[in-house]
Amino acid sequence: MEDNARKLGQLIPENSVLFVCDLQERFAPSILHFDTIVSNADRMIQMSQVLHVPIITTEQYPKVHSFSKCQTKQEGLGNTVAALKCHLHEKHIFSKTRFTMMIPEVENRLEELRTVRNVDTVILVGIETHVCIIATCQDLIQKGYNVHVVADACSSRTQTDRQLALERMKQIGAFINSTESVILSLAGDAAHPQFKQIQTLIKTLNPSTDLVRESSKDGLKCLL
């Protein structure tokens, strides 16, 4: 019964893992709503720590040093933003060049987790929505995982790419969710022993990331 409930979108900490995809310093100037995306991802990370949800993080082509006789040159996209990295375990941050997060190191980590807990649900945050997020989502669904894409914790350089990718992921079976909804769904009960601590994570509303728009005829209209 619980397996069926998770296939319908129920979130249970013991069956979940948080994926944090490529939230790196060098992306900051080009990604829409980057600061809000990072803030929402930070709330997801803190929630995972409170509820003991494992976290797997990737970095896209983070850092390469090349040397010449005259100088040292640093290339690459840098590391995970400091505000997030300080909460993460270094050994569970994996470098990649592929767009999907489902590289061998990540798959091995998932298998390790599945030996001690029934992980069948992945909560996905990060960038870019239309590239690495959707590629990861496709691979996870193909492997039988339930996937929750946290829409206000994912972004792209353009809103068009972001919105179309969210719609495509919804079409292939992902649950398109929000930060606050995921946090409260995982808590499950206001009587949860850590609820006061969880409540502090949603007390302050973050700025909108423009997933709804104003319409003079229809009021608020969802873009998904």
Side-chain angles (χ1 to χ4, degrees), residues 3-213:
D3 288 355
N4 288 334
R6 291 195 295 280
K7 288 177 181 177
L8 294 173
Q10 186 180 53
L11 284 165
I12 299 173
E14 292 76 14
N15 305 107
S16 302
V17 60
L18 175 65
F19 273 26
V20 180
C21 183
D22 305 351
L23 283 168
Q24 294 157 254
E25 302 280 2
R26 294 282 286 275
F27 286 115
S30 59
I31 299 297
L32 285 177
H33 309 292
F34 187 80
D35 289 344
T36 301
I37 298 303
V38 168
S39 178
N40 285 334
D42 184 42
R43 294 198 290 172
M44 295 300 304
I45 290 168
Q46 291 186 61
M47 170 278 303
S48 297
Q49 292 172 332
V50 171
L51 297 179
H52 307 292
V53 173
I55 304 169
I56 295 174
T57 304
T58 57
E59 296 176 340
Q60 181 74 15
Y61 186 54
K63 191 178 294 184
V64 175
H65 293 283
S66 60
F67 300 90
S68 70
K69 291 182 179 179
C70 300
Q71 63 181 3
T72 299
K73 184 179 180 182
Q74 182 175 309
E75 301 173 344
L77 297 171
N79 296 115
T80 301
V81 294
L84 303 182
K85 194 162 187 175
C86 65
H87 297 301
L88 300 169
H89 292 293
E90 190 73 37
K91 68 177 182 178
H92 297 147
I93 300 176
F94 303 102
S95 173
K96 67 183 181 69
T97 57
R98 295 183 64 197
F99 295 136
T100 180
M101 289 182 70
M102 292 295 281
I103 58 175
E105 295 89 340
V106 170
E107 294 204 51
N108 290 340
R109 177 58 183 155
L110 275 175
E111 287 306 311
E112 289 175 5
L113 291 170
R114 285 166 66 90
T115 63
V116 294
R117 56 199 296 160
N118 181 25
V119 173
D120 60 9
T121 300
V122 175
I123 302 163
L124 188 53
V125 305
I127 57 178
E128 290 187 67
T129 316
H130 67 296
V131 185
C132 297
I133 295 295
I134 196 169
T136 304
C137 179
Q138 290 168 333
D139 285 347
L140 287 166
I141 288 175
Q142 185 177 11
K143 291 178 179 294
Y145 287 93
N146 310 306
V147 179
H148 288 254
V149 179
V150 188
D152 59 349
C154 295
S155 194
S156 298
R157 289 185 297 167
T158 72
Q159 193 75 327
T160 298
D161 282 333
R162 182 188 185 206
Q163 291 162 359
L164 289 174
L166 290 169
E167 179 60 32
R168 286 171 61 198
M169 288 186 281
K170 182 178 178 182
Q171 290 172 349
I172 65 173
F175 300 100
I176 309 302
N177 221 324
S178 70
T179 299
E180 184 168 324
S181 177
V182 169
I183 289 172
L184 292 177
S185 295
L186 284 165
D189 193 329
H192 191 286
Q194 277 78 46
F195 188 72
K196 285 188 176 181
Q197 189 174 355
I198 293 165
Q199 201 171 26
T200 63
L201 298 176
I202 59 172
K203 187 174 182 179
T204 302
L205 291 177
N206 274 335
S208 168
T209 63
D210 296 332
L211 288 174
V212 295
R213 66 185 174 196

